[in-house]
Amino acid sequence: MKWNHAIAVLLTGAMLLTGLAGCGKAEEDTGSGEKETTAVKQAAEVKAVDTFTLAYNEKDGLDPLSCSSAENQMLMPLCFESLFQLDDHFEPQPVLCDSMEQENTRSYNLTIRSGILFHSGQEMTVEDVVYSLNNARLRENSIYQDKLSCISSVKYNEDEIHIRLYTSKSERELQSLLDVPIFRKGSEEDEIPDGSGPYQVVRQDSALHLIPFEQWSGGKVGYCSSITLKSVSDSSGAANLLSSGEISMLLQQDAEKEPITGAKYTSSVPTTRLHYLGINCDWAPLDEEDVRTALSMLMDREMIVQTCFAGRADAASLPMVSIPENIEAPQYDKAAALELLEDAGIYDRDSDGYLDISNGRQFKLEIIYNEQYSTKGAVLEQYASTLNEAGIQTTVTPLSFEDCQSKLRRETFQIYYGEYEMTPDFDLSSIISDGGERNFGNFYSRDMQDALSDLHEGQPEEYEQTVEDYLECFVEETPILPIAFERNLISSATKLPEGFDPWPNDIFHGIETWSAS
């Protein structure tokens, strides 16, 4: 799209603000002047900031389906909304979706909220939503393709949206996948498609700005009347601007990178990026459940998070962020681990300080990892030290990416360090299910297959129980060794606003209640 067309559309929407103010759902005028809506009360209490500047990656653009830079991804929730949004516990919360009905585990019907307006002033329709979802799952340059690969079709009939799936998903699982930006059909060719978020993009004085969308269904935003977008070409440039105080806030998605120098205030949000150790379950004695469980109990995850990730991760012995209270996750316990190993016939038979398997063979392990990642190497050196102290002779071997992949394909490894960007439904099927594309260790368990099936196919009222059953099975069989879920780091040049409550995919969550500190 050409800029003059895009800006014409956006400025048209901006000019409509005065004339249409008061017509949206956010305000209710009784005529008495005695009652105020929550949004109006909140706006009255907000102390606005004078300036607020964010980085804009000029090479990436603001197409919500294809932009992948951390800078522009951070901007998306300001401009676009989705059917559901994930809270800080990765529980899906409805945004544009009004209702969802499950026909069966592969068929769902949805309705959307009425009266939602795009920045252009046009009302959102089911056709817009269906068009957005189909583009997200089918467009070649869409970053959501893998995430939505379980969907076979999205159609609509009158006011109802019909979603059909290739594989079974529970209602909560599907909701967690539908945090996809929705835009107006016909605006996808524009450089900035038409969204419905709390801010809209305009160009003023040859610069891009975000101004509040007065008819946003979420209420009135009073924190900042204009957010300036500062152009950068890469993340290093953005980091430099934050260090010099030229931008206000930045998101770092890679725990391997050092925190930005000069960042005065920081916060963080959880992610679904799982760090774990994969196990060759065809390699004795790693083929025994008790041995894998013992190895899990010999990992001091809390210490690893503090020393290797500098706190930018959440220790995880199970592959979910939120664990039910009655699930006993494996804890670091050297004595209990050695007991388990002895029950499996592995103990120090000749009093030389090393554990033996049988026939005088010592229990030796080699853990491989991609040498490009220093954090992974630090994690493994710390874990190997613990294993060696327990009598398990452990070697950490850094390899090139190609050599790592070769060993995984040929299954000539014992343990490898893996990193997996899980979908928000925390589906681990590709790693632990029979025939999974990342199941390099040939793990197979009928009980685990059944637990996974029940998790995906259960009715909404059964979801909590199926989660517990799945995690209990995981604890018993330990198909992999989870280490931690990485966290994204939020760095700010100024004091974080009052009411700052970031969610994983929206660090501006609750911006309508923000106030300058």
Side-chain angles (χ1 to χ4, degrees):
M1 160 234 169
K2 298 180 175 57
W3 265 114
N4 55 356
H5 176 230
I7 302 307
V9 172
L10 291 168
L11 291 178
T12 299
M15 288 187 292
L16 288 172
L17 297 182
T18 303
L20 294 177
C23 299
K25 294 176 66 177
E27 297 185 42
E28 180 183 349
D29 186 3
T30 62
S32 65
E34 296 178 356
K35 294 184 179 181
E36 294 179 297
T37 65
T38 301
V40 172
K41 289 180 181 178
Q42 289 172 344
E45 297 169 358
V46 164
K47 179 182 177 182
V49 295
D50 295 327
T51 60
F52 198 77
T53 305
L54 298 173
Y56 160 61
N57 192 312
E58 58 194 6
K59 293 181 178 180
D60 196 26
L62 291 173
D63 182 336
L65 300 187
S66 64
C67 73
S68 56
S69 65
E71 299 79 33
N72 293 7
Q73 276 286 302
M74 192 175 81
L75 300 174
M76 290 301 100
L78 290 172
C79 304
F80 301 92
E81 295 179 296
S82 52
L83 289 170
F84 294 90
Q85 191 177 35
L86 300 174
D87 66 18
D88 53 355
H89 297 290
F90 289 94
E91 291 296 327
Q93 304 299 331
V95 180
L96 298 177
C97 183
D98 186 57
S99 67
M100 174 181 277
E101 178 186 353
Q102 180 187 50
E103 290 186 0
N104 54 62
T105 56
R106 295 191 181 189
S107 181
Y108 291 86
N109 300 320
L110 292 78
T111 60
I112 63 171
R113 291 171 53 198
S114 60
I116 302 295
L117 298 182
F118 288 114
H119 297 152
S120 61
Q122 298 185 48
E123 184 170 352
M124 182 179 295
T125 68
V126 292
E127 186 176 6
D128 295 312
V129 176
V130 168
Y131 191 81
S132 297
L133 292 178
N134 279 328
N135 270 267
R137 70 186 187 87
L138 298 174
R139 222 171 70 183
E140 288 186 5
N141 65 343
S142 170
I143 62 175
Y144 297 97
Q145 270 194 327
D146 289 343
K147 179 179 181 176
L148 301 180
S149 61
C150 62
I151 297 178
S152 62
S153 69
V154 183
K155 300 178 181 179
Y156 70 95
N157 181 23
E158 296 182 348
D159 294 330
E160 196 167 62
I161 299 170
H162 309 286
I163 298 180
R164 304 296 178 261
L165 307 173
Y166 289 115
T167 57
S168 295
K169 293 285 182 184
S170 69
E171 182 176 297
R172 183 214 168 272
E173 288 178 315
L174 179 59
Q175 290 176 354
S176 69
L177 298 177
L178 296 179
D179 60 336
V180 176
I182 303 301
F183 57 88
R184 179 174 56 82
K185 180 181 179 182
S187 69
E188 69 276 6
E189 294 299 325
D190 296 350
E191 190 162 350
I192 308 168
D194 197 9
S196 62
Y199 280 82
Q200 63 185 115
V201 184
V202 296
R203 182 180 285 277
Q204 298 172 347
D205 302 324
S206 301
L208 289 178
H209 298 265
L210 299 176
I211 62 173
F213 178 44
E214 294 294 335
Q215 292 167 276
W216 179 48
S217 63
K220 181 177 178 61
V221 180
Y223 177 69
C224 187
S225 60
S226 178
I227 299 174
T228 300
L229 301 186
K230 188 90 170 180
S231 293
V232 297
S233 57
D234 54 36
S235 58
S236 296
N240 291 335
L241 289 179
L242 184 76
S243 299
S244 62
E246 294 181 66
I247 62 173
S248 306
M249 190 178 293
L250 196 61
L251 184 70
Q252 279 184 278
Q253 296 179 325
D254 188 353
E256 287 278 334
K257 294 183 178 180
E258 293 293 324
I260 298 172
T261 303
K264 298 178 181 178
Y265 303 91
T266 61
S267 183
S268 64
V269 288
T271 74
T272 59
R273 196 156 52 252
L274 176 67
H275 290 245
Y276 69 97
L277 297 184
I279 301 172
N280 190 338
C281 294
D282 286 338
W283 197 303
L286 300 179
D287 56 344
E288 296 185 41
E289 296 172 5
D290 284 351
V291 173
R292 299 194 297 269
T293 301
L295 292 177
S296 181
M297 296 172 70
L298 285 169
M299 183 181 292
D300 190 344
R301 295 172 174 86
E302 294 293 344
M303 182 63 72
I304 286 173
V305 163
Q306 294 305 317
T307 59
C308 302
F309 288 95
R312 290 167 62 182
D314 295 308
S317 56
L318 292 174
M320 282 189 176
V321 168
S322 297
I323 305 300
E325 292 182 359
N326 57 329
I327 297 295
E328 294 186 12
Q331 302 296 319
Y332 174 61
D333 191 333
K334 181 178 177 181
L338 291 175
E339 286 184 16
L340 271 180
L341 290 172
E342 186 168 356
D343 290 342
I346 301 174
Y347 57 93
D348 186 359
R349 300 171 188 271
D350 51 12
S351 301
D352 64 351
Y354 297 108
L355 303 187
D356 303 300
I357 301 175
S358 61
N359 300 324
R361 289 192 302 125
Q362 293 179 335
F363 188 12
K364 296 182 179 181
L365 289 176
E366 180 190 36
I367 310 177
I368 64 173
Y369 76 101
N370 187 336
E371 62 188 0
Q372 294 178 340
Y373 300 104
S374 58
T375 297
K376 294 178 175 61
V379 169
L380 293 180
E381 290 296 341
Q382 183 166 312
Y383 182 46
S385 177
T386 304
L387 293 180
N388 280 307
E389 289 175 4
I392 302 172
Q393 298 185 62
T394 306
T395 302
V396 175
T397 304
L399 298 171
S400 67
F401 173 78
E402 292 75 15
D403 288 342
C404 276
Q405 292 297 306
S406 176
K407 278 186 170 289
L408 295 181
R409 286 193 301 269
R410 293 184 290 113
E411 300 172 20
T412 56
F413 70 94
Q414 288 177 292
I415 298 178
Y416 70 93
Y417 193 124
E419 185 178 339
Y420 183 46
E421 188 77 49
M422 301 179 75
T423 48
D425 57 349
F426 294 97
D427 187 354
L428 204 62
S429 299
S430 67
I431 295 178
I432 65 174
S433 64
D434 186 33
E437 61 181 12
R438 295 175 63 95
N439 187 358
F440 304 117
N442 283 329
F443 171 78
Y444 175 76
S445 162
R446 182 70 262 170
D447 290 341
M448 184 62 75
Q449 290 292 113
D450 291 343
L452 282 170
S453 295
D454 292 343
L455 184 66
H456 299 323
E457 297 177 3
Q459 297 299 313
E461 63 274 12
E462 300 172 338
Y463 182 73
E464 290 185 6
Q465 185 59 54
T466 58
V467 167
E468 291 182 10
D469 293 343
Y470 162 65
L471 292 177
E472 285 176 354
C473 186
F474 189 97
V475 169
E476 182 177 338
E477 305 204 12
T478 316
I480 62 172
L481 306 183
I483 301 172
F485 281 103
E486 202 171 310
R487 294 183 75 88
N488 285 340
L489 183 67
I490 303 166
S491 298
S492 178
T494 57
K495 190 174 181 180
L496 294 170
E498 293 181 7
F500 187 65
D501 181 27
W503 281 2
N505 297 325
D506 180 11
I507 70 171
F508 300 103
H509 164 251
I511 193 171
E512 68 276 13
T513 66
W514 284 13
S515 182
S517 300

